[in-house]
Amino acid sequence: MLCTRLTNARILTMDPDRPVAHDLGIWRGRIVGLDEAVTSLPAREVVDLQGATVLPGFIDSHVHLAWAGLKAETPSIAPCERVEDVLAVIDEAASRKAGPGAWVDIAGYDQRALGRHLTAAEIDRVSQGRKIFLMHDSGHACVVNSAVLDLLPADVPHQDGFLAESAMTAVRRLRLPYSQEELADAIERAGRTCLAEGITACAEAGIGGGLLGHSPVELGAYQLLRDQGRLPLRVQLMAAGDTLRPRAAHRDDGIPRALDLGLRTGFGDDWLSLGALKIYTDGGMMARTAALTEPYEGMSHTGQFQDEPERIADLIVDGHLAGWQLAVHAIGDRAADLALDSLERAQRLRPRPTARHRVEHAGLIRPDQLPRFARLGVSAVIQPHFLRSFGDDYADVMGERRAPWMYRGRGFLDHGVTLVGSSDRPVTDGSPLRAIQFMVERASLSGRPIGPDEGITVDEALRAYTVAGAYACHWDDSAGSLTPGKRADLVVLGDDPRAVETSRIGDIEVVATYVDGRTEPAKE
């Protein structure tokens, strides 16, 4: 007997061997058959979907669940556009925090809305003896007051309280880590938002260190949720690159650095596992720290690397030698050069053609870099929402010649590069459907075309959030398509994205999300 049979549906399987079906049978969390294989079988539950569209559950291959959940509960200065309004929010938040010297977190900081950065002196006026930390929306910078600056080593660079990249990391190290209970609540909160948008699995892009680590024992928060049956969706965890340490492994292993016990990509189960090793090369476009080969338009600088390029390259090589899949953050084209050079060197030292290394963001990729992605077998994990939300600004700072190279679609696919969709939640909107709409239209929220020649078809965009996402996370044997034997993770939509006007795709209703064949994950 089937556990569930979904019937009277338009099932888009994303499986080329059987692309469309009308009935789908589920048994113990797995798909057991389609149409004639299941229509006559008894089932404990028969769900008449009344013509709704069913797709494989969306996979968001690059998110920050803990940060998203924490941000949702943090006082925000968005969408303030005047300094005095920002200071009023900080003043109110500081007044609610007990005790002088307490830390006060503020979310939603983006200097573009103000036309300049806040200064420590301005924040001091409303700090009330607290330590103020304004997180930049990009995750690559912060602004703090003098009480925080006074605690930093003298060699940490800042500009009147603005700290970017590794300098921001120095600020975060001043603070006690979040508790696992706090992180678990935040992760669950963000995970349920993902479920509501049709996402059934995601890759958490960096825990335990890096720019956005929240605790050296952060993995325990995910295990806590798993143990309590509160993990809303499947999560693959990327360990931050700086969590690797020199290890005295046997010389025949050829492993110079590793996590304790030699843990690496693949450890875990269907719900919670270790994925890629997350390695930063540069910053971001929003904070103007993405590393470019030519200056930002109208500016005199070309962004920055997170560390000395040689040290970054060595970490990439060591991660490869230790058996990890690598997820290399590279937004600017200069950073992409460093990432590709290092991955090529690593594969030359120890060929691993099945590693499925990834470049996260690939925000600005020159035409000459596209064949290198293909030759190295590197996936491009892009965030279409960046251009949908910030495309006008990004196009301005890249200039007319470079703007079409941003967050490419068609260029990658035409070169045979696996194109993977993701959000970088909470940097911007996390909805896969709205991202899919942008990938086809290539228009920002204002309607401005951003590299229209990089537009792709609806089918190709859906593939980026299903089949390609599963491939990038080494889940392709169990997810990404509605194929018998795979996990019963699926999303029910009110309309078919392939049949409606492109401008309507982002507004399609998510009727239900199934994980393990249930609309809520099983409690264990």
Side-chain angles (χ1 to χ4, degrees):
M1 175 178 286
L2 299 174
C3 296
T4 305
R5 186 172 75 249
L6 305 181
T7 188
N8 191 20
R10 180 168 178 77
I11 300 169
L12 308 180
T13 67
M14 303 306 293
D15 181 349
D17 292 336
R18 184 159 194 170
V20 179
H22 300 286
D23 282 39
L24 182 147
I26 300 169
W27 184 69
R28 294 190 176 181
R30 294 275 171 169
I31 299 167
V32 295
L34 301 166
D35 290 349
E36 67 279 358
V38 297
T39 51
S40 61
L41 296 179
R44 293 193 189 97
E45 178 186 32
V46 177
V47 181
D48 184 345
L49 291 177
Q50 300 180 342
T53 296
V54 177
L55 278 159
F58 296 127
I59 296 171
D60 191 333
S61 299
H62 185 119
V63 300
H64 301 281
L65 293 179
W67 178 21
L70 291 168
K71 183 178 180 180
E73 299 294 303
T74 301
S76 177
I77 60 173
C80 297
E81 296 181 353
R82 301 188 310 160
V83 170
E84 52 265 41
D85 294 336
V86 171
L87 296 179
V89 173
I90 298 172
D91 188 25
E92 181 181 355
S95 67
R96 295 200 303 265
K97 204 73 173 183
W103 285 88
V104 178
D105 290 303
I106 304 291
Y109 178 67
D110 185 343
Q111 84 284 355
R112 297 173 304 175
L114 302 176
R116 65 171 178 85
H117 283 296
L118 285 177
T119 68
E122 288 172 325
I123 301 172
D124 287 345
R125 301 204 305 264
V126 293
S127 297
Q128 302 181 43
R130 277 63 168 176
K131 301 182 186 75
I132 309 296
F133 180 90
L134 280 76
M135 174 68 120
H136 196 280
D137 267 349
S138 68
H140 286 267
C142 65
V143 178
V144 300
N145 64 340
S146 298
V148 177
L149 294 177
D150 290 344
L151 300 175
L152 290 170
D155 61 348
V156 174
H158 71 89
Q159 301 169 7
D160 297 325
F162 173 76
L163 301 99
E165 310 304 342
S166 58
M168 182 188 74
T169 302
V171 175
R172 292 174 68 89
R173 286 174 180 157
L174 295 173
R175 309 183 59 174
L176 290 173
Y178 288 89
S179 73
Q180 290 189 355
E181 286 282 0
E182 288 177 288
L183 292 175
D185 290 344
I187 294 160
E188 182 181 21
R189 187 180 306 122
R192 296 204 172 280
T193 300
C194 291
L195 277 184
E197 294 173 345
I199 298 165
T200 56
C202 66
E204 171 69 54
I207 64 166
L211 290 176
L212 296 170
H214 295 90
S215 165
V217 292
E218 194 167 357
L219 190 150
Y222 292 86
Q223 287 186 294
L224 180 63
L225 284 173
R226 178 79 173 100
D227 292 344
Q228 295 176 349
R230 294 168 51 205
L231 192 61
L233 72 171
R234 304 185 197 279
V235 180
Q236 188 179 86
L237 303 172
M238 299 185 198
D242 56 4
T243 60
L244 294 194
R245 295 287 182 268
R247 300 296 175 201
H250 193 284
R251 64 183 181 184
D252 290 348
D253 292 338
I255 298 176
R257 282 187 265 188
L259 290 187
D260 286 344
L261 304 178
L263 293 175
R264 60 174 175 83
T265 303
F267 181 82
D269 62 19
D270 279 352
W271 280 92
L272 184 63
S273 61
L274 272 179
L277 183 71
K278 172 73 176 295
I279 298 175
Y280 285 95
T281 62
D282 67 343
M285 286 188 190
M286 195 187 304
R288 312 308 195 225
T289 52
L292 312 178
T293 52
E294 299 176 22
Y296 288 86
E297 193 78 8
M299 304 177 197
S300 60
H301 70 91
T302 58
Q304 66 189 79
F305 286 125
Q306 293 282 349
D307 200 346
E308 293 299 321
E310 296 78 11
R311 289 168 56 88
I312 296 171
D314 287 346
L315 179 56
I316 290 171
V317 171
D318 285 356
H320 173 87
L321 294 177
W324 287 88
Q325 178 191 24
L326 301 178
V328 184
H329 167 115
I331 292 184
D333 60 330
R334 182 160 56 107
D337 281 334
L338 175 59
L340 295 171
D341 288 346
S342 304
L343 291 170
E344 186 168 19
R345 174 182 151 204
Q347 290 283 17
R348 191 166 55 246
L349 289 171
R350 181 176 295 170
R352 285 176 52 215
T354 60
R356 301 189 189 179
H357 295 322
R358 313 158 32 147
V359 169
E360 309 298 299
H361 309 298
L364 186 75
I365 300 300
R366 303 186 309 269
D368 65 286
Q369 292 174 316
L370 293 171
R372 293 198 70 195
F373 270 81
R375 187 171 68 252
L376 292 169
V378 174
S379 299
V381 183
I382 66 164
Q383 296 74 41
H385 276 301
F386 282 4
L387 293 188
R388 180 177 178 271
S389 299
F390 313 129
D392 294 358
D393 172 64
Y394 285 13
D396 288 343
V397 298
M398 288 301 108
E400 185 176 354
R401 179 174 62 89
R402 290 181 294 180
W405 303 347
M406 294 190 296
Y407 298 93
R408 291 176 178 269
R410 176 56 53 204
F412 283 125
L413 291 179
D414 284 354
H415 282 80
V417 177
T418 300
L419 179 69
V420 184
S422 68
S423 69
D424 207 13
R425 181 192 307 268
V427 176
T428 187
D429 188 355
S431 162
L433 287 170
R434 286 190 283 273
I436 287 163
Q437 177 178 323
F438 173 84
M439 294 172 84
V440 180
E441 289 183 328
R442 296 287 299 192
S444 70
L445 284 171
S446 73
R448 178 176 177 175
I450 310 290
D453 290 345
E454 289 293 323
I456 61 178
T457 68
V458 175
D459 277 327
E460 289 167 333
L462 289 171
R463 184 179 178 87
Y465 277 90
T466 54
V467 176
Y471 175 86
C473 295
H474 287 272
W475 283 329
D476 45 313
D477 63 341
S478 59
S481 67
L482 300 179
T483 303
K486 291 192 176 184
R487 301 189 299 236
D489 295 354
L490 51 92
V491 57
V492 181
L493 302 178
D495 277 302
D496 181 347
R498 303 185 307 180
V500 302
E501 291 291 330
T502 303
S503 60
R504 290 184 49 213
I505 292 174
D507 295 325
I508 292 174
E509 178 189 5
V510 176
V511 177
T513 305
Y514 285 73
V515 182
D516 247 8
R518 299 178 177 88
T519 53
E520 287 287 339
K523 302 295 181 182
E524 297 187 0

